Amino acid sequence: MAKNKTYRTNVALRLTFTMLLAVLSSGLLQQSFAGEPENSAHMKAAKEFAGSEIVKQKNCVTCHTIGESGGTVGPILNLISNRRTEEWLRTWFSDPNSLKPGTKMPNFAFSEAELDDLMKHMTKLKRPVNSEEILSANSDPIMAGAALFEAYDCLACHRIGDQGRFVGPNLTWVGNRKSQEWEATWLADPSAYKPGTFMPNFHFSSAEIDALTAFLHSQQGQANDQARKWESMTSFILDARPRERGRLVAERVACWSCHGEGLTGGVKNENAQPDGLTPDISSAFLDLDEDVLKDIILNGKTATKIDPAGVTPPFSCPSWKAALTDSELEDLLSYLESIVPESAMWEFE
Ligand code: HEC
Ligand code: HEC
Ligand code: HEC
């Protein structure tokens, strides 16, 4: 990223901070699944799909939002064909585990006729994205990025504030943990960075990437309070145990976006110890003194290089002081305590 560009983005960031807040609270982002015009082609198709025999029979909506309602376990499906090819979808339906080992999506062992029926519906779930129009209508890169983020329905899998889903990392604080350069590398080809990732390749142009990353990088926790309100409501309704509240906090700041699913590490982090990967922190609660653990979470920890003369690793542990209240930090520790693998406890004894 050229220096002057970063500078311009920084200026734009300050200028548009309040505008962005207005956008977020006016619910522009929410439109990606809730406020679609009733009569848009893909919403009509989505409602038809939601009412179809196959969806009713297999209860897809217990996990997926199709049309205006449904579950929150899987991605919102209203614009699925903007991001997945028919070929990908056929493979997914025939053997979800082959594309995402351990997925919560059941293998329904569909017949060929059922697959054809599903495809007939799914190929209609798309909306053309006129990115040139979006880019030329928004001279401010952050606003352009917000509009593209909405047009590509990133909230089908991700979350900002109290909007979106949980399949990808929560992006409320993405600007606090990842550099804009890294975000650009990621968006250009997710599976080149992380083979086998579930994040689709949208084949963005470099102008789209510039705008999207300007928007992503502007996400520095402005929506933290909305996320927090949603969490306290959810934990009130579902389960008030500290470790469950802590799980939601860990989800909000997306520890797993670097430490991997289950926080067992192994995500590529060039020239960082250990082994050019992020560390396994699943037993950190046991391995580290509570004070040390709290210090790392509150103040961050710079990645240690393998080769001191080599590149700076893209990820370091960020400071989460601004994201957490004292009691949220305690909840987060309860969550970390709850995930310590049994094997680590044996070693400890
Ligand atoms: C038990 C919950 C569950 C049910 C029931 C379920 N799915 Fe899924 N589905 C998921 C999850 C979760 C994912 C995302 C993969 C992951 O995170 O494991 C997914 C992913 C998908 C995807 C890919 C989405 C994307 O954005 O790439 C499609 C398409 C899909 N499901 C369609 C369906 C259809 C159609 C049905 C009904 C026939 C169905 N699913 C039933 C949980 C479910
Ligand atoms: C089908 C679900 C899905 C969709 C749709 C999706 N993502 Fe992702 N995304 C993921 C997953 C899963 C990851 C985590 C990658 C991993 O660890 O494998 C991810 C990771 C990311 C990351 C890096 C994670 C971080 O927080 O540090 C960014 C940035 C990102 N996505 C941006 C986007 C943008 C922008 C869009 C819309 C253009 C989008 N994603 C659409 C699933 C999705
Ligand atoms: C931007 C990526 C990133 C995110 C997000 C992140 N970490 Fe880290 N974390 C790292 C890296 C890299 C290290 C290794 C630092 C080093 O070299 O000592 C690390 C180290 C740690 C350590 C020390 C491990 C050890 O054995 O010394 C703990 C504990 C930890 N992280 C906890 C967390 C928690 C809890 C969260 C969420 C609140 C989190 N991290 C979010 C990148 C991240």
Side-chain angles (χ1 to χ4, degrees):
M1 188 84 41
K3 237 193 199 139
N4 62 341
K5 179 113 190 293
T6 314
Y7 172 74
R8 261 191 285 130
T9 310
N10 283 343
V11 172
L13 195 152
R14 260 176 276 136
L15 284 175
T16 52
F17 184 74
T18 32
M19 254 156 51
L20 194 77
L21 275 179
V23 169
L24 283 171
S25 48
S26 75
L28 179 122
L29 292 169
Q30 188 173 348
Q31 281 182 8
S32 64
F33 60 96
E36 292 289 341
E38 283 286 301
N39 54 356
S40 70
H42 76 274
M43 278 307 269
K44 256 202 215 142
K47 283 181 205 162
E48 232 173 82
F49 182 41
S52 68
E53 263 320 296
I54 186 116
V55 166
K56 285 198 210 145
Q57 209 182 61
K58 311 289 184 195
N59 262 319
C60 313
V61 290
T62 51
C63 295
H64 293 282
T65 293
I66 306 174
E68 265 145 19
S69 56
T72 56
V73 177
I76 301 164
L77 296 182
N78 295 345
L79 289 169
I80 182 71
S81 286
N82 271 41
R83 59 180 179 266
R84 303 293 191 194
T85 61
E86 181 169 344
E87 192 195 347
W88 187 95
L89 287 168
R90 283 185 184 269
T91 311
W92 177 252
F93 286 122
S94 308
D95 187 4
N97 249 309
S98 70
L99 293 173
K100 187 170 185 198
T103 178
K104 288 175 224 136
M105 167 102 172
N107 186 340
F108 292 100
F110 292 113
S111 69
E112 280 303 313
E114 283 175 320
L115 276 180
D116 291 343
D117 187 32
L118 279 170
M119 287 312 134
K120 194 187 77 201
H121 286 287
M122 302 217 110
T123 46
K124 292 185 201 150
L125 302 179
K126 65 172 173 222
R127 170 178 67 186
V129 174
N130 191 339
S131 64
E132 266 157 44
E133 198 177 291
I134 291 175
L135 289 167
S136 63
N138 295 281
S139 56
D140 170 9
I142 298 182
M143 296 305 280
L148 287 172
F149 191 84
E150 193 275 324
Y152 284 108
D153 205 20
C154 307
L155 291 180
C157 290
H158 290 281
R159 208 163 167 82
I160 294 180
D162 57 1
Q163 301 296 310
R165 295 293 179 265
F166 307 90
V167 174
N170 191 315
L171 299 177
T172 302
W173 286 93
V174 65
N176 188 53
R177 62 177 175 260
K178 300 283 165 81
S179 70
Q180 198 170 343
E181 270 151 306
W182 182 85
E183 287 160 4
T185 306
W186 176 255
L187 290 187
D189 189 352
S191 58
Y193 194 88
K194 191 175 179 191
T197 181
F198 199 66
M199 164 106 175
N201 186 343
F202 288 85
H203 305 284
F204 294 123
S205 69
S206 60
E208 287 179 303
I209 290 183
D210 286 350
L212 277 166
T213 56
F215 171 70
L216 289 170
H217 208 63
S218 75
Q219 295 308 303
Q220 305 268 353
Q222 300 93 315
N224 199 45
D225 281 345
Q226 279 155 284
R228 182 175 275 148
K229 268 186 219 146
W230 177 86
E231 282 161 27
S232 41
M233 199 176 69
T234 307
S235 50
F236 178 75
I237 296 169
L238 293 179
D239 189 336
R241 280 179 297 182
R243 67 163 194 235
E244 282 301 307
R245 292 200 303 262
R247 187 179 59 77
L248 295 176
V249 170
E251 199 284 328
R252 184 205 313 162
V253 297
C255 308
W256 76 276
S257 73
C258 291
H259 291 288
E261 282 184 58
L263 306 186
T264 52
V267 176
K268 185 169 129 190
N269 196 19
E270 198 184 345
N271 197 30
Q273 292 181 23
D275 308 319
L277 304 169
T278 56
D280 179 346
I281 59 160
S282 61
S283 59
F285 185 86
L286 203 65
D287 301 340
L288 301 174
D289 282 341
E290 192 170 314
D291 287 350
V292 174
L293 188 54
K294 279 187 176 168
D295 180 62
I296 293 173
I297 296 172
L298 290 178
N299 300 311
K301 190 163 191 263
T302 307
T304 323
K305 289 185 182 182
I306 297 174
D307 169 9
V311 297
T312 304
F315 310 150
S316 278
C317 207
S319 152
W320 294 111
K321 220 180 273 168
L324 308 174
T325 61
D326 292 348
S327 72
E328 284 171 350
L329 178 60
E330 295 300 330
D331 292 342
L332 185 56
L333 293 193
S334 302
Y335 167 67
L336 292 175
E337 183 179 12
S338 77
I339 63 167
V340 173
E342 227 166 283
S343 54
M345 295 197 215
W346 284 111
E347 276 164 37
F348 194 72
E349 277 171 16

